[in-house]
Amino acid sequence: MQFSTIEGPVTVNVPDHGALKQAVGQRLAAKEGFALATLNLDHLVKLSSDGAFAQAYLAQDFVVADGNPIVWLSRLARRPVALLPGADLVVPLAEWCAAAGVPVALIGSTEEALAAASTALRGYVTGLEVAACVAPPMGFDPQSAAAETLLQEVAASGAGLAFLALGAPKQEALAARGRQLVPNVGFASIGAGLDFLAGTQKRAPRWVRRLALEWLWRALSNPARLALRYLRCIGILPRLLREALRQRSGI
């Protein structure tokens, strides 16, 4: 399904887990880079007004559905895709890298959290090599000279895939720049995925996620920070419903 942005349509172009495994596996085997983004309603709110973010998203090679509303809208449009949250992709991506003999890098959060995430990830995935852990300083700018240095360091480490846990829009912007500067490195923007592994952030229980209520669990956990975000997400639903119905009708 396509979603409109201020710079043009973004398409969820990887429909399910099997398709993602095949697409990533081909890139890893060929030693070719890629950028993977995980689309959700909060991103769509930003994409409707932030031109730089929209351009970064349009530079992504793979886009998956990181939220039940995206999945439901795709079904309404008769272009169904499966739910593939970024946090659920960290371990599978690491497994595919280990199987291909490709080291990974972890970028984001704090040095302590990345160290804990590295230990946890290597515990889940036998044979995984974590070639680099980088915690950028506060105020990190993906367009800065420091970002270019970081990307070159990741490439020099031998990492073939970098997990980006910087939050939107920084992680997608860094991935887009990485595709230009270090084209042999893959980038996966996974939000809080590394913090969940490290235990520095707590994810909603599995039963809450099965009921598609993770958003409510998060809102109740931090209403001061997330209430306005979710109101903005609700605000764009009428437009998204119209877009889905137009695509359903083939307009």
Side-chain angles (χ1 to χ4, degrees):
M1 180 181 176
Q2 287 189 339
F3 296 89
S4 62
T5 80
I6 195 172
E7 293 290 331
V10 164
T11 303
V12 178
N13 60 5
V14 183
D16 54 38
H17 191 275
L20 181 64
K21 181 178 182 180
Q22 180 178 16
V24 170
Q26 289 174 346
R27 296 293 181 106
L28 294 176
K31 307 298 182 184
E32 295 178 354
F34 60 90
L36 167 65
T38 56
L39 187 68
N40 57 39
L41 286 185
D42 179 53
H43 290 187
L44 286 171
V45 170
K46 295 181 172 71
L47 288 168
S48 67
S49 59
D50 187 334
F53 186 35
Q55 289 176 3
Y57 236 94
L58 291 170
Q60 307 295 304
D61 299 279
F62 308 134
V63 179
V64 299
D66 181 43
N68 281 295
I70 305 299
V71 173
W72 297 332
L73 288 163
S74 75
R75 292 173 183 169
L76 180 61
R78 290 181 176 164
R79 292 166 172 78
V81 297
L83 180 66
L84 296 175
D88 290 344
L89 296 179
V90 179
V91 171
L93 285 166
E95 289 174 340
W96 304 337
C97 285
V102 174
V104 303
L106 311 183
I107 301 173
S109 192
T110 65
E111 292 181 2
E112 293 77 13
L114 292 181
S118 175
T119 299
L121 197 53
R122 285 184 283 112
Y124 282 118
V125 183
T126 302
L128 178 68
E129 180 183 351
V130 179
C133 291
V134 184
M138 290 290 292
F140 174 74
D141 180 359
Q143 303 304 327
S144 65
E148 180 176 353
T149 299
L150 182 155
L151 291 167
Q152 296 294 349
E153 289 176 351
V154 168
S157 75
L161 172 63
F163 290 102
L164 304 182
L166 299 170
K170 286 186 178 181
Q171 58 193 15
E172 291 81 11
L174 185 62
R177 193 164 186 214
R179 291 296 287 122
Q180 296 178 333
L181 296 178
V182 287
N184 294 328
V185 179
F187 297 90
S189 298
I190 42 83
L194 298 182
D195 287 305
F196 290 148
L197 278 173
T200 53
Q201 288 191 39
K202 185 177 180 181
R203 195 177 181 189
R206 192 175 297 275
W207 68 267
V208 173
R209 284 178 265 152
R210 282 200 297 265
L211 292 173
L213 292 174
E214 186 170 11
W215 67 273
L216 180 58
W217 187 90
R218 293 181 64 195
L220 294 174
S221 299
N222 195 341
R225 185 173 72 88
L226 296 176
L228 182 58
R229 175 189 297 184
Y230 287 128
L231 283 174
R232 287 172 176 161
C233 290
I234 292 170
I236 67 167
L237 283 176
R239 172 175 65 81
L240 297 178
L241 287 169
R242 290 193 298 270
E243 288 182 2
L245 289 171
R246 283 198 297 270
Q247 291 180 57
R248 181 188 183 97
S249 302
I251 300 175

